[in-house]
Amino acid sequence: MKSHQTPQTMKPATAAKKLGVYLPATPAEFQEGVVSRAELNALQTEPPQWLRELRNDGPHPRPVVAAKLGVSIAGLARAGVTEALTTEQIEALKQERPEWLEKERATQAEVRKETARLKKRDAERAAQDDEPRP
């Protein structure tokens, strides 16, 4: 007996997250339906105009805003930035260079530096563990 395989689907919020877009800014038909894996792949490979515009102009979800500003999502929260921002608003923040942004960028740089240090240390330990013992 053959089992009929149903297509894998996801909620619009999950699809929006995978596409890197802010769900409330997507078209109503996207928000109200379900998205199959095939539809998601099609949106990623050949994005429709609305998706291209959202990716270019926003509003962008917090992970995208954080990445564009070079800070963490927690850094955005500490600064009180809780809403989605457009590309224009992000560029304005980059030009203004508020104190919180400079501080959070420095914090993010330190975190990256420490992560790299730990990764190097762990790699060195793993290499030592792989060496034959006399």
Side-chain angles (χ1 to χ4, degrees), residues 17-33:
K17 188 174 183 179
K18 289 180 181 288
L19 292 169
V21 295
Y22 184 57
L23 180 62
T26 61
E29 57 270 10
F30 181 85
Q31 293 178 40
E32 295 164 1

Side-chain angles (χ1 to χ4, degrees), residues 6-16 19 23 26-41 43 50:
T6 58
Q8 185 181 13
T9 60
M10 61 193 84
K11 294 178 183 176
T14 304
L19 292 169
L23 180 62
T26 61
E29 57 270 10
F30 181 85
Q31 293 178 40
E32 295 164 1
V34 292
V35 180
S36 71
R37 177 66 61 187
E39 290 169 331
L40 178 69
N41 291 340
L43 287 169
W50 66 264

Side-chain angles (χ1 to χ4, degrees), residues 6-127:
T6 58
Q8 185 181 13
T9 60
M10 61 193 84
K11 294 178 183 176
T14 304
K17 188 174 183 179
K18 289 180 181 288
L19 292 169
V21 295
Y22 184 57
L23 180 62
T26 61
E29 57 270 10
F30 181 85
Q31 293 178 40
E32 295 164 1
V34 292
V35 180
S36 71
R37 177 66 61 187
E39 290 169 331
L40 178 69
N41 291 340
L43 287 169
Q44 289 173 324
T45 56
E46 295 180 31
Q49 185 64 31
W50 66 264
L51 181 54
R52 288 193 302 271
E53 287 174 4
L54 272 180
R55 286 179 170 167
N56 287 333
D57 306 327
H60 302 287
R62 285 181 307 167
V64 174
V65 173
K68 287 180 178 274
L69 290 173
V71 301
S72 66
I73 295 172
L76 287 177
R78 283 190 291 272
V81 179
T82 56
E83 72 280 351
L85 299 179
T86 63
T87 300
E88 188 176 312
Q89 291 169 313
I90 293 168
E91 291 305 316
L93 279 172
K94 287 180 177 179
Q95 294 298 317
E96 293 168 15
R97 300 177 72 132
E99 186 179 329
W100 70 264
L101 180 57
E102 295 302 313
K103 181 180 178 226
E104 292 300 337
R105 281 181 168 174
T107 300
Q108 189 72 357
E110 286 299 316
V111 167
R112 285 188 187 116
K113 192 168 144 183
E114 179 65 5
T115 301
R117 184 190 71 78
L118 293 174
K119 187 175 179 181
K120 181 180 177 187
R121 181 201 67 190
D122 293 346
E124 289 170 354
R125 284 183 180 170

